[in-house]
C-alpha cells in the first residue's frame, strides 16, 4: 500500500489542470479536487501497487479470439487450391512469354498479375489492387476456395495466395482476399505496412525456382504415391542445381510444409495449416449478413448502449469528470473518484461446436464500445514445428524465455500469449498477458531439425496458443489476429547464426549505438531542479564513480509540454548540459507522444494547423485522450509528413535549451491513454489515411521511436552523429532505431529474477539493445538487492538505474560506503569491458546475431541447455550467471563441455573441455562481492583497465588483451574500432576490425594481429596508432613459463603465475590497428 502522503502526491501529478506549483486554482472544478488533496487518505482508500488485470482483456473477453480459439470455428473454413488458377512465374522469363501472348492494344497477363497481386504497375491508372506490398515478386500464385458447407459470410469465399521465394532459404506466403472483385466490400486491398517494417532492399529473390506440378513422380519422395495428385511443391535456392529448400503444398485441405532438400527423409521443419485451423474472415457489409440473430443481438446491444454512451464510445458518467487516473478511472468534480466495477462477461454460453457470433459488428469492454464499422476481419492459422520440443520468442511477456504451453494437455497458462502493446502499471510475473511491445517472431530449436522459425507479419492484436503436437513429437502454435492478411515468412536456419542472418534480411539489423550509450545511465522520476542535477553529478565525480548520462523525467517540462523546460526549476538548461558535457557526461530528457491540448503551446498549435493528429472514429475531429498533461492529442506517426514534422522539432532552434549532448527518452508510446480502453486508444480511431487504429496499433511505438531518432540525426549539420533514443514500446524492426527497456518493474527479488528471461526473450526477437531498470522502478530496495541488481545490470546491453518518485533516493552512495564500493566495482567491470561490448554490438549490426544470447544460440546441440534462462552469454565468449536471491554465497553454473571455461576475475580455469553436446554443473563462489562471470576457452577479449569517470575520457586509453587458451592451446578474438559517435564508419569507411590469434601448440608460440582497415582509415595506421595501443597481454591456461617474448627485434618483459597458470606480457608497444606477430619462446 501507499501512505497518504504518496497518494496526495500522486493526486497532484495526475490532476494536471490544478497544478499548485505553477498556477492558481481558477475553476470550481479544482476546488472539489482540492478537498481530495487536503484530506488525502481520509477520502481515498489505500491501494496496492500491482497491475489491475481487470483493465486488460483476455481471449475469452475478445470476440475474434473467442470465435476461433481451439478450433471453435474450423467447420466454417475448408480451403482448397483451385488447380487451374495456379501460375508459376519466373519474372524475367515470364514477362517475355506473356508479352508474346499480349493481344494487340491489350494488357499482358504479367501486367495484370502485377496489378492484381503486387500493385507493381507504374502507370497512373486507378486499378492497382495491392499498393502496400513490397519485396520480391512471387514465383507461384493461385486461388483458394472455401469448400465448407456453411461459411461465415453465408456465401462462396475465395482467397488469393502468392509464394515469394528468396535468397538464403527464406520464403513468404501471402493470403489475401480477391481484391479485384468490383462492388464487394473487399474490392480494395487490406492495408498492410510493408514499407514501415520490412527492409525490401535486403529481400533478394531466390536465384532459381522450380514448380513441381500435382501428380509428378518427385512428390512420392514426400507423400504416399496414392496422394501425389493432391500435392504440389516449389523448389528454390541460390545455386543452379542446388535448390536447397522445398515448400510442399497440400491442395485439398490447404496446407504448406517446409523441407530442407538435404534432409527430405527427416520430414518438414515447419508446417502451416496442417491442423486445418486456417481462417480468413472475408470483409462484408452488415446488410449482407444473412443471420437474423446477428442483427437482433447487435441492435439490442446498440439500443441498450445508445443512451449510456457518448460519441467516443465511452459510457456517459452520472457526474462531471475533471480528470483520469493512470488506471483509467475517472476523477469527478466533487473530489471523489470512480470505483472499479466488476463486470462479468455477458456473452452467451456456447457449446463447443457452436459458432460465437457475438461481437461481430460491435463490441464492448467495460465502459468502452468498439463500433467495428467493417465487421469481423480476423485471420489465423496453425503453425507446427515437428520434432521440436522448444519454442521461443513472441516478446514481450514477463515469462520464461522458453515458451510455456497455453493449450492442450498439461497447459501451464489458461490464456494464449497476447501481442497488443499496452501500458501495464507494475506488471505481474509468469503470465501471458501483453506488455509494452510485440515481435511476432517464433523460433524453434530442435535436436532433430536445428533452428527454424516464422515471422507472422501482422501488427494487429494477436493471440498465440502454444501446445504439444504429439502426432509429430513436436510443438504447434495457433495464431489468431484481429485483422490484416496472412503474411508469413518461413525462416529455415538451420543454425542460430544462419537464422538471425536470414531474419535480419526481413526487418534489418541492430543500429550501432554511440559508445557513451553503453555506459551507465542514472535516472529518477524526477531530479527536481538544476541544483539537484548538479549535486548528483558532483557526487559521482567526488567518488570516481563512472557514469555517462543523467536523465530527467516529465517534471522538467513546463506543465508536461514536451520540448519545453520549467523556467523555475530549470532556468538555464543549456548551461546545465554544457557543465556536464565539460566533464564527459550527456543528458537525456523524456518526450512522450501525447501533446497537451493547449492553443498557446506551439507544438499543439502547429500540429493542429497542419492536420497531423489522429482522428476520431468518423475521421473528422482530432482525437482527445487523457494522459500526463491532461487533455491530449496524438500525432499520426504512420504518416510520413507527421514523422518528418516531429523530427524537425528536435532542431536546436526549435527545441529551445537543447544542445548536441542532449538525447531523448520516449515513454508512454504504446500509446498510453488513461481514459481509453485498456489504457490505450479506441480501435476505431482513424489515421490520416483513414485506416483504423486496430490495423496499426502495434506499430505506433516503433514509428514514434523512429521519428525521434531521425530527429536526432537531422538536428546536426551533416547529419553525421548517431542518435540515442530509449523507447518503451516496440515492434519487429525496432532494432534499427535504438534501445528498449522492460518498463515498470518493481524493487523485488522476483523482478530481478525475471529480468534475464525477459531480456533474453527480447534478444530472441532480435531486439538486442535492452535492459531492465536497475533497482526496480516501484518500491524501495535494500543494499543487498541493489548490489545484486547493479551487478546483473552491468552485464546487460542497456545499463540504467531508475526509480519512482515515491521510492527512496537510491543513488549509489545512499546505501553507505561499503555498498557504494561494491556498486562502483560492478560499474567499473562494465566500463572495462566496453571494447568487447562495442565489438559485439558491431557484430550484431553486421550479422543480425543477438548481443545477449541464450545458451542454445551458441550451443544448439546441447539439449540440456535449451530451457536455461537464468544464465546467458554476452556474444560468444562471456558466460554470466546473475545472483537473483538474497543471502547467496555460492551458485551452480551449467558449463557447456564443448569448451573450457575461465573465471573472469581470478583468471583460473574452472572446468576443462569435455564431451561435446553436454554440460557440467559446477558450484562457484558468489558472495556479495562476486558475480559469476566466465570467459570461454579459445577466446580473446579486449578490455580497458584504467579507471575513468566516463566513456569520453576512455577514448584514447590502451587495451589489455585477455587470451583464454582452449584445449588445443589456441584462441582467437576480434576488436572493432571506430570514432564511437559518427556515421563515418558507414559513409567513409573509417573503422578497423582487428582479429587476434594465439597459438601455443607449437614449440614457439605466436600471438598475431590481422586487421581489416576500412578505406577511410587505410594508410593512417601510424597517425592513429597512439589512440589504439595495446599495453598488456594476459594469457590464461599456460602450463609453463616462457623464456622470452619478442616482437620484431624487441624483447618484452613478462611475469608468470605458476599457481594460476597466467602469463602477463607488459608494455608491448603495439597497435590494435597494425598487423604484428609476437613470438613466445620456451
Amino acid at each position: 500500500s501507499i501512505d497518504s502522503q504518496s497518494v496526495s502526491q500522486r493526486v497532484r501529478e495526475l490532476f494536471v489542470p490544478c497544478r499548485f506549483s505553477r498556477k492558481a486554482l481558477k475553476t470550481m472544478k479544482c476546488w472539489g479536487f482540492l478537498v481530495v488533496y487536503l484530506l488525502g487518505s481520509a477520502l481515498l482508500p489505500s491501494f496496492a501497487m500491482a497491475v489491475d488485470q481487470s483493465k486488460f482483456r483476455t481471449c475469452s473477453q475478445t470476440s475474434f479470439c473467442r470465435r476461433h480459439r481451439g478450433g471453435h470455428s474450423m467447420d466454417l473454413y475448408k480451403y482448397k487450391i483451385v488447380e487451374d488458377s495456379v501460375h508459376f512465374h519466373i519474372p524475367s522469363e515470364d514477362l517475355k512469354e506473356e508479352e508474346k501472348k499480349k493481344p494487340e492494344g491489350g494488357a499482358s497477363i504479367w501486367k495484370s498479375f502485377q496489378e492484381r497481386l503486387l500493385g507493381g504497375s507504374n502507370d497512373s491508372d486507378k486499378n492497382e489492387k495491392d499498393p502496400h506490398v513490397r519485396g520480391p515478386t512471387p514465383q507461384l500464385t493461385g486461388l483458394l476456395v472455401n469448400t465448407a458447407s456453411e461459411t461465415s459470410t453465408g456465401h462462396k469465399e475465395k482467397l488469393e495466395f502468392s509464394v515469394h521465394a528468396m535468397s538464403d532459404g527464406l520464403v513468404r506466403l501471402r493470403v489475401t482476399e480477391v481484391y479485384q472483385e468490383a462492388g464487394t466490400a473487399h474490392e480494395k486491398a487490406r492495408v498492410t505496412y510493408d514499407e514501415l517494417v520490412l527492409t525490401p532492399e535486403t529481400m533478394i529473390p531466390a536465384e532459381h525456382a522450380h514448380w513441381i506440378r500435382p501428380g509428378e513422380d518427385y512428390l512420392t519422395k514426400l507423400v504416399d504415391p496414392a496422394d501425389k495428385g493432391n500435392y504440389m511443391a516449389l523448389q528454390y535456392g541460390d545455386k543452379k542445381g542446388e535448390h536447397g529448400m522445398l515448400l510442399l503444398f497440400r491442395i485439398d485441405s490447404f496446407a504448406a510444409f517446409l523441407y530442407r532438400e538435404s534432409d527430405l527423409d527427416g520430414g518438414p521443419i515447419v508446417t502451416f495449416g496442417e491442423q486445418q485451423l486456417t481462417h480468413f474472415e472475408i470483409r462484408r457489409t452488415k446488410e449482407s449478413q444473412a443471420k437474423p440473430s446477428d442483427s437482433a443481438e447487435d441492435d439490442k446491444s446498440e439500443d441498450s448502449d445508445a443512451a449510456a454512451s457518448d460519441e467516443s464510445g465511452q459510457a456517459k458518467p452520472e457526474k462531471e469528470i475533471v480528470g483520469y487516473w493512470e488506471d483509467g478511472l475517472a476523477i469527478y468534480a466533487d473530489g471523489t473518484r470512480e470505483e472499479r466495477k466488476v463486470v462479468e462477461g455477458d456473452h452467451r454460453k456456447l457449446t463447443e461446436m457452436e459458432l460465437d457470433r457475438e461481437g461481430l459488428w460491435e463490441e464492448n469492454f467495460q465502459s468502452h464500445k468498439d463500433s467495428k464499422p467493417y465487421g469481423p476481419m480476423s485471420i489465423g492459422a496453425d503453425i507446427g514445428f515437428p520434432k521440436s520440443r522448444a519454442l521461443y520468442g513472441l516478446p514481450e511477456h514477463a515469462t520464461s524465455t522458453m515458451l510455456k504451453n497455453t493449450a492442450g494437455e498439461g497447459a501451464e497458462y489458461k490464456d494464449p500469449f497476447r501481442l497488443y502493446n499496452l501500458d501495464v502499471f507494475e506488471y505481474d510475473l509468469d503470465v501471458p498477458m501483453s506488455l509494452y511491445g510485440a515481435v511476432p517472431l517464433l523460433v524453434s530449436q530442435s535436436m532433430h531439425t536445428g533452428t527454424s522459425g516464422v515471422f507472422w507479419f501482422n501488427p494487429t492484436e494477436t493471440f498465440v496458443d502454444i501446445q504439444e503436437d504429439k502426432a509429430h513429437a513436436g510443438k504447434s502454435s495457433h495464431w489468431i489476429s484481429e485483422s490484416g492478411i496472412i503474411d508469413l515468412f518461413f525462416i529455415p536456419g538451420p543454425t542460430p547464426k544462419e537464422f538471425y542472418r536470414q531474419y535480419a534480411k526481413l526487418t534489418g539489423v541492430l543500429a550501432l549505438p554511440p559508445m557513451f550509450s553503453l555506459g551507465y545511465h542514472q535516472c529518477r522520476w524526477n531530479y527536481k531542479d538544476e541544483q539537484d542535477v548538479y549535486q548528483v553529478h558532483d557526487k559521482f565525480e567526488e567518488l570516481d564513480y563512472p557514469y555517462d548520462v543523467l536523465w530527467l523525467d516529465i517534471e522538467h517540462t513546463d506543465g508536461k509540454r514536451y520540448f519545453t523546460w520549467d523556467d523555475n526549476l530549470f532556468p538555464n538548461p543549456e548551461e546545465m548540459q554544457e557543465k556536464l558535457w565539460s566533464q564527459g557526461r550527456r543528458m537525456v530528457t523524456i518526450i512522450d507522444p501525447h501533446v497537451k491540448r493547449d492553443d498557446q503551446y506551439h507544438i499543439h498549435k502547429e500540429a493542429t494547423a497542419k492536420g497531423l493528429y489522429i482522428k476520431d472514429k468518423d475521421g473528422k475531429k482530432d482525437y482527445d485522450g487523457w494522459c500526463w498533461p491532461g487533455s491530449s492529442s496524438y500525432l499520426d506517426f504512420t504518416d510520413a509528413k507527421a514523422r518528418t514534422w516531429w523530427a524537425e522539432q528536435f532542431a536546436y532552434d526549435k527545441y529551445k535549451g537543447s544542445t548536441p549532448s542532449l538525447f531523448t527518452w520516449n515513454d508512454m508510446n504504446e500509446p498510453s491513454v488513461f481514459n481509453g480502453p485498456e489504457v490505450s486508444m479506441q480501435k476505431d480511431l482513424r489515421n490520416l489515411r483513414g485506416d483504423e487504429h486496430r490495423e496499426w496499433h502495434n506499430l505506433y511505438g516503433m514509428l514514434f521511436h523512429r521519428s525521434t531518432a531521425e530527429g536526432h540525426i537531422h538536428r546536426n549539420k551533416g547529419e553525421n552523429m548517431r542518435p540515442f533514443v530509449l523507447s518503451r514500446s516496440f515492434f519487429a524492426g525496432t532494432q534499427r532505431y535504438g534501445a528498449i527497456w522492460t518498463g515498470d518493474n518493481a524493487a523485488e527479488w522476483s523482478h530481478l529474477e525475471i529480468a534475464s528471461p525477459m531480456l533474453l526473450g527480447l534478444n530472441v526477437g532480435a531486439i538486442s539493445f535492452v535492459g531492465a531498470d536497475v533497482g526496480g522502478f516501484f518500491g524501495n530496495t535494500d543494499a543487498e538487492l541493489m548490489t545484486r541488481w547493479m551487478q546483473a545490470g552491468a552485464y546487460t546491453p542497456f545499463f540504467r538505474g531508475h526509480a519512482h518518485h515515491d521510492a527512496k533516493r537510491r543513488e549509489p552512495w545512499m546505501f553507505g560506503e561499503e555498498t557504494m564500493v561494491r556498486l562502483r566495482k560492478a560499474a567499473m567491470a562494465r566500463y572495462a569491458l566496453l571494447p568487447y561490448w562495442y565489438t559485439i554490438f558491431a557484430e550484431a549490426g553486421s550479422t543480425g546475431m543477438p548481443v545477449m544470447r541464450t545458451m542454445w544460440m551458441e550451443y544448439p546441440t546441447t539439449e540440456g541447455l535449451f530451457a536455461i534462462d537464468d544464465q546467458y552469454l554476452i556474444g560468444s565468449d562471456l558466460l554470466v550467471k546473475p545472483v537473483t536471491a538474497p543471502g547467496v554465497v555460492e551458485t551452480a553454473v551449467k558449463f557447456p563441455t564443448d569448451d573450457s571455461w575461465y573465471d573472469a576475475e581470478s583468471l583460473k580455469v574452472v572446468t576443462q573441455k569435455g564431451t561435446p553436446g553436454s554440460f557440467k554443473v559446477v558450484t562457484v563462489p558468489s558472495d556479495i562481492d562476486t558475480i559469476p562471470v566466465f570467459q570461454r576457452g579459445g577466446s580473446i577479449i579486449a578490455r580497458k583497465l584504467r579507471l575513468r569517470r566516463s566513456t569520453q575520457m576512455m577514448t584514447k586509453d590502451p587495451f589489455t588483451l585477455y587470451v583464454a587458451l582452449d584445449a588445443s592451446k589456441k584462441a582467437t578474438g576480434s576488436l572493432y574500432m571506430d570514432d564511437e559517435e559518427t556515421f563515418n564508419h558507414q559513409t567513409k569507411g573509417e573503422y578497423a576490425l582487428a582479429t587476434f590469434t594465439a597459438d601455443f601448440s607449437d614449440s614457439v608460440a605466436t600471438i598475431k594481429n590481422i586487421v581489416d582497415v576500412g578505406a577511410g582509415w587505410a594508410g593512417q595506421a601510424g597517425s592513429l596508432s597512439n589512440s589504439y595501443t595495446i599495453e598488456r597481454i594476459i594469457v590464461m591456461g599456460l602450463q609453463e613459463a616462457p623464456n622470452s617474448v619478442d616482437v620484431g627485434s624487441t624483447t618484452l618483459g613478462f611475469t608468470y603465475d605458476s599457481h594460476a597458470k597466467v602469463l602477463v606480457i607488459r608494455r608491448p608497444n603495439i597497435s590494435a590497428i597494425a598487423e604484428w606477430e609476437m613470438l613466445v619462446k620456451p
Side-chain angles (χ1 to χ4, degrees):
S1 297
I2 303 176
D3 59 31
S4 59
Q5 181 180 359
S6 299
V7 171
S8 298
Q9 185 174 358
R10 187 70 166 160
V11 167
R12 294 198 307 273
E13 287 155 357
L14 289 175
F15 191 62
V16 179
C18 300
R19 294 285 295 186
F20 308 131
S21 60
R22 298 300 311 274
K23 298 178 180 179
L25 300 174
K26 294 182 178 180
T27 68
M28 290 305 294
K29 293 180 181 180
C30 294
W31 287 110
F33 194 80
L34 179 59
V35 175
V36 177
Y37 168 66
L38 293 175
L39 297 182
S41 59
L43 291 183
L44 290 176
S46 62
F47 56 94
M49 295 183 68
V51 64
D52 178 2
Q53 292 200 24
S54 69
K55 289 191 304 183
F56 304 105
R57 297 196 305 176
T58 62
C59 178
S60 64
Q61 297 169 308
T62 308
S63 65
F64 76 88
C65 185
R66 199 168 64 235
R67 280 199 302 278
H68 300 293
R69 191 184 188 199
H72 199 56
S73 63
M74 64 187 300
D75 287 346
L76 298 176
Y77 304 95
K78 305 288 185 182
Y79 294 109
K80 178 182 178 179
I81 295 175
V82 180
E83 290 188 48
D84 291 345
S85 73
V86 179
H87 189 65
F88 178 59
H89 309 270
I90 303 289
S92 58
E93 299 177 13
D94 210 24
L95 182 58
K96 295 176 184 176
E97 286 296 313
E98 299 303 343
E99 285 295 327
K100 293 177 183 178
K101 302 175 184 177
K102 177 180 176 181
E104 187 174 348
S108 69
I109 297 175
W110 172 249
K111 177 174 170 62
S112 173
F113 160 74
Q114 279 188 313
E115 294 175 350
R116 180 166 49 87
L117 277 182
L118 306 182
S121 172
N122 292 322
D123 295 347
S124 59
D125 62 87
K126 304 294 185 181
N127 296 320
E128 293 183 4
K129 298 302 182 183
D130 195 348
H132 311 299
V133 64
R134 301 290 186 273
T137 56
Q139 290 87 352
L140 206 63
T141 61
L143 289 175
L144 298 173
V145 60
N146 186 355
T147 63
S149 58
E150 179 184 0
T151 67
S152 63
T153 61
H155 306 289
K156 185 177 181 180
E157 297 177 352
K158 290 182 180 179
L159 300 171
E160 286 187 308
F161 74 90
S162 58
V163 183
H164 313 242
M166 290 177 268
S167 65
D168 236 348
L170 290 160
V171 64
R172 181 184 195 179
L173 173 64
R174 296 180 90 245
V175 180
T176 71
E177 292 158 319
V178 181
Y179 295 143
Q180 72 266 31
E181 293 189 350
T184 65
H186 49 84
E187 179 179 2
K188 293 184 178 180
R190 289 196 184 196
V191 64
T192 59
Y193 292 92
D194 295 34
E195 76 280 6
L196 297 179
V197 177
L198 302 178
T199 52
E201 65 273 12
T202 55
M203 295 165 59
I204 310 300
E207 186 175 342
H208 298 281
H210 173 64
W211 179 29
I212 302 173
R213 290 168 171 78
E216 289 191 20
D217 290 341
Y218 185 93
L219 295 168
T220 61
K221 297 181 180 181
L222 306 169
V223 301
D224 189 298
D227 294 332
K228 67 179 183 179
N230 193 37
Y231 289 85
M232 65 181 191
L234 181 71
Q235 290 175 310
Y236 63 98
D238 295 332
K239 295 181 181 179
K240 192 171 183 178
E242 299 179 19
H243 294 293
M245 301 301 300
L246 182 144
L247 190 61
L248 177 72
F249 293 94
R250 187 171 64 199
I251 295 173
D252 197 353
S253 297
F254 174 67
F257 309 82
L258 183 66
Y259 289 79
R260 298 190 186 105
E261 282 208 290
S262 60
D263 188 22
L264 292 178
D265 292 340
I269 58 174
V270 184
T271 68
F272 168 88
E274 184 181 21
Q275 298 176 13
Q276 300 184 53
L277 295 178
T278 303
H279 78 269
F280 200 120
E281 292 182 333
I282 303 290
R283 284 175 290 175
R284 79 295 301 261
T285 61
K286 190 172 183 180
E287 292 75 19
S288 70
Q289 229 18 40
K291 301 289 183 181
S293 60
D294 296 349
S295 58
E297 286 182 16
D298 287 336
D299 289 344
K300 180 180 178 181
S301 175
E302 290 174 2
D303 291 342
S304 62
D305 290 337
S309 299
D310 61 20
E311 63 180 8
S312 70
Q314 188 170 359
K316 293 181 179 179
E318 296 178 358
K319 295 187 288 186
E320 184 180 7
I321 295 175
V322 294
Y324 291 90
W325 294 82
E326 187 177 4
D327 59 9
L329 296 178
I331 303 168
Y332 298 121
D334 64 2
T336 61
R337 63 171 289 179
E338 180 185 2
E339 294 183 2
R340 170 64 62 200
K341 297 181 178 65
V342 178
V343 181
E344 298 293 336
D346 58 357
H347 55 271
R348 294 176 295 127
K349 300 294 183 182
L350 303 170
T351 63
E352 183 176 353
M353 298 305 296
E354 183 184 5
L355 174 64
D356 184 348
R357 307 193 70 85
E358 295 179 11
L360 292 177
W361 296 95
E362 180 181 289
E363 191 167 6
N364 298 311
F365 179 66
Q366 295 182 339
S367 62
H368 301 279
K369 181 175 71 176
D370 179 3
S371 64
K372 303 180 78 166
Y374 301 109
M377 296 175 62
S378 175
I379 57 99
D382 58 278
I383 300 171
F385 298 89
K387 300 179 183 178
S388 174
R389 310 299 302 163
L391 297 181
Y392 310 86
L394 307 181
E396 180 180 34
H397 299 95
T399 62
S400 59
T401 307
M402 190 166 80
L403 299 175
K404 296 179 180 180
N405 290 342
T406 64
E409 185 179 343
E412 296 177 76
Y413 298 141
K414 68 176 183 179
D415 285 305
F417 289 98
R418 188 184 183 203
L419 298 174
Y420 191 68
N421 298 352
L422 293 170
D423 176 1
V424 183
F425 185 82
E426 198 185 40
Y427 46 82
D428 282 346
L429 308 184
D430 199 25
V431 291
M433 67 184 297
S434 292
L435 287 178
Y436 311 100
V439 179
L441 177 71
L442 190 59
V443 185
S444 162
Q445 185 60 41
S446 168
M447 294 293 291
H448 302 280
T449 60
T451 313
S452 60
V454 295
F455 174 46
W456 178 270
F457 178 31
N458 190 307
T460 73
E461 181 181 5
T462 299
F463 289 88
V464 186
D465 266 321
I466 305 294
Q467 68 181 78
E468 300 296 324
D469 179 8
K470 293 184 178 179
H472 299 92
K475 291 270 194 176
S476 69
S477 60
H478 183 200
W479 299 68
I480 309 171
S481 294
E482 182 177 18
S483 187
I485 66 170
I486 294 176
D487 195 352
L488 183 69
F489 291 85
F490 296 82
I491 309 173
T495 67
K497 288 181 173 60
E498 289 173 298
F499 177 92
Y500 281 103
R501 184 184 70 245
Q502 293 157 357
Y503 177 66
K505 291 187 174 184
L506 304 180
T507 66
V509 295
L510 176 76
L512 182 62
M515 177 67 88
F516 81 83
S517 65
L518 303 184
Y520 177 64
H521 301 248
Q522 182 63 44
C523 185
R524 178 178 177 81
W525 180 19
N526 200 84
Y527 289 119
K528 56 187 180 182
D529 53 27
E530 288 180 3
Q531 188 61 33
D532 199 6
V533 168
Y534 291 143
Q535 287 177 350
V536 171
H537 169 74
D538 291 345
K539 193 66 174 180
F540 274 103
E541 285 284 292
E542 175 190 334
L543 297 173
D544 286 333
Y545 195 112
Y547 93 100
D548 261 81
V549 190
L550 196 140
W551 294 50
L552 297 178
D553 211 316
I554 54 178
E555 311 303 336
H556 82 278
T557 63
D558 176 11
K560 312 300 188 301
R561 298 170 180 85
Y562 302 111
F563 299 100
T564 70
W565 303 82
D566 186 315
D567 292 339
N568 291 334
L569 304 178
F570 296 92
N572 303 296
E574 292 185 47
E575 180 182 329
M576 175 179 64
Q577 294 162 56
E578 292 295 345
K579 178 180 178 182
L580 267 63
W581 174 235
S582 70
Q583 295 177 306
R585 275 42 174 262
R586 276 90 167 175
M587 294 193 73
V588 162
T589 52
I590 194 168
I591 294 181
D592 293 344
H594 45 262
V595 178
K596 183 177 179 66
R597 291 173 64 89
D598 175 357
D599 291 340
Q600 303 305 310
Y601 175 30
H602 70 284
I603 295 290
H604 174 66
K605 184 177 180 179
E606 188 172 343
T608 301
K610 291 181 177 290
L612 301 179
Y613 284 136
I614 291 167
K615 305 302 180 184
D616 64 11
K617 65 184 179 66
D618 298 317
K620 297 178 181 178
K621 299 178 181 178
D622 290 344
Y623 173 62
D624 184 351
W626 194 273
C627 207
W628 295 126
S631 181
S632 304
S633 286
Y634 296 74
L635 271 80
D636 174 17
F637 288 100
T638 68
D639 184 81
K641 297 189 298 296
R643 292 196 303 273
T644 298
W645 180 82
W646 181 261
E648 291 170 352
Q649 305 315 303
F650 289 89
Y652 300 120
D653 61 345
K654 292 190 175 183
Y655 186 0
K656 302 296 185 181
S658 67
T659 72
S661 65
L662 184 67
F663 295 85
T664 303
W665 170 18
N666 286 161
D667 196 1
M668 314 297 285
N669 53 330
E670 293 73 28
S672 178
V673 183
F674 292 169
N675 63 330
E678 301 191 89
V679 200
S680 195
M681 288 182 180
Q682 290 83 353
K683 287 186 173 182
D684 52 6
L685 301 182
R686 306 279 182 158
N687 67 6
L688 297 178
R689 194 168 63 181
D691 305 325
E692 287 190 292
H693 175 226
R694 77 182 79 250
E695 304 290 346
W696 41 266
H697 172 87
N698 283 345
L699 298 180
Y700 190 83
M702 180 184 74
L703 297 176
F704 178 54
H705 194 187
R706 166 184 169 174
S707 185
T708 301
E710 290 171 348
H712 278 208
I713 295 171
H714 298 327
R715 69 181 181 172
N716 293 301
K717 185 177 181 180
E719 301 186 347
N720 196 36
M721 301 299 291
R722 292 179 229 167
F724 169 71
V725 184
L726 178 72
S727 171
R728 189 170 70 178
S729 187
F730 56 86
F731 190 69
T734 285
Q735 64 270 16
R736 307 198 297 264
Y737 306 120
I740 297 293
W741 95 105
T742 59
D744 296 343
N745 61 358
E748 299 172 4
W749 287 98
S750 59
H751 279 256
L752 171 57
E753 184 179 15
I754 202 66
S756 293
M758 289 182 70
L759 297 176
L760 288 171
L762 288 164
N763 275 265
V764 169
I767 310 293
S768 276
F769 195 5
V770 294
D773 284 343
V774 170
F777 179 61
F778 288 111
N780 294 314
T781 182
D782 59 27
E784 183 183 13
L785 178 56
M786 189 66 187
T787 299
R788 292 306 194 184
W789 215 316
M790 187 71 76
Q791 291 170 343
Y795 291 92
T796 59
F798 177 61
F799 184 26
R800 181 183 77 155
H802 187 34
H804 190 273
H805 59 65
D806 285 335
K808 295 178 181 178
R809 296 292 287 250
R810 61 168 74 141
E811 288 75 23
W813 50 89
M814 298 301 294
F815 301 91
E817 176 72 14
E818 183 179 6
T819 298
M820 187 281 295
V821 171
R822 291 189 180 112
L823 301 181
R824 184 173 59 189
K825 178 184 175 182
M828 290 168 58
R830 168 59 167 234
Y831 277 76
L833 276 169
L834 283 177
Y836 179 69
W837 279 106
Y838 198 62
T839 298
I840 300 304
F841 268 84
E843 177 190 340
S846 174
T847 68
M849 269 296 278
V851 170
M852 184 177 173
R853 301 174 187 171
T854 58
M855 298 300 295
W856 59 262
M857 289 182 184
E858 291 295 328
Y859 299 94
T861 61
T862 307
E863 191 170 16
L865 296 176
F866 285 6
I868 300 302
D869 58 11
D870 60 351
Q871 64 182 58
Y872 54 87
L873 295 156
I874 302 168
S876 60
D877 299 335
L878 281 182
L879 190 159
V880 182
K881 176 69 181 284
V883 176
T884 60
V888 173
V889 295
E890 58 183 20
T891 299
V893 181
K894 296 180 175 68
F895 291 99
T897 49
D898 298 59
D899 295 296
S900 53
W901 294 91
Y902 296 82
D903 185 282
E905 188 169 351
S906 71
L907 309 183
K908 295 179 181 179
V909 67
V910 179
T911 181
Q912 297 284 3
K913 180 178 180 179
T915 304
S918 185
F919 63 89
K920 181 179 180 180
V921 180
V922 178
T923 299
V924 300
S926 58
D927 62 21
I928 193 64
D929 293 304
T930 307
I931 178 173
V933 180
F934 309 92
Q935 184 172 341
R936 182 181 61 82
S939 67
I940 300 176
I941 289 177
R943 288 178 170 88
K944 288 187 175 183
L945 301 184
R946 299 184 182 183
L947 173 60
R948 303 292 190 187
R949 295 192 292 272
S950 72
T951 57
Q952 185 70 21
M953 300 174 182
M954 297 172 61
T955 304
K956 296 184 178 181
D957 282 355
F959 300 102
T960 293
L961 301 184
Y962 284 74
V963 181
L965 298 177
D966 62 15
S968 62
K969 300 181 181 180
K970 297 179 181 180
T972 186
S974 299
L975 174 63
Y976 175 79
M977 296 158 284
D978 62 21
D979 65 20
E980 301 178 354
E981 61 179 4
T982 75
F983 289 109
N984 286 350
H985 62 295
Q986 293 179 340
T987 59
K988 298 181 179 180
E990 294 182 358
Y991 71 89
L993 179 64
T995 301
F996 306 109
T997 59
D999 186 348
F1000 282 73
S1001 62
D1002 294 333
S1003 57
V1004 176
T1006 59
I1007 304 174
K1008 298 180 182 179
N1009 184 28
I1010 304 297
V1011 189
D1012 174 17
V1013 180
W1017 275 6
Q1020 298 186 49
S1023 61
L1024 293 170
S1025 60
N1026 290 335
S1027 299
Y1028 300 97
T1029 59
I1030 297 172
E1031 68 173 351
R1032 188 182 300 104
I1033 299 176
I1034 298 174
V1035 182
M1036 296 172 269
L1038 189 61
Q1039 298 304 309
E1040 296 180 353
N1043 284 324
S1044 66
V1045 179
D1046 304 306
V1047 174
S1049 60
T1050 303
T1051 298
L1052 305 178
F1054 65 88
T1055 60
Y1056 178 75
D1057 184 334
S1058 59
H1059 176 67
K1061 307 298 182 185
V1062 173
L1063 170 69
V1064 179
I1065 303 170
R1066 303 191 305 270
R1067 298 178 182 175
N1069 293 322
I1070 51 179
S1071 173
I1073 63 171
E1075 296 191 353
W1076 44 262
E1077 181 176 23
M1078 183 179 296
L1079 302 180
V1080 183
K1081 301 176 182 178

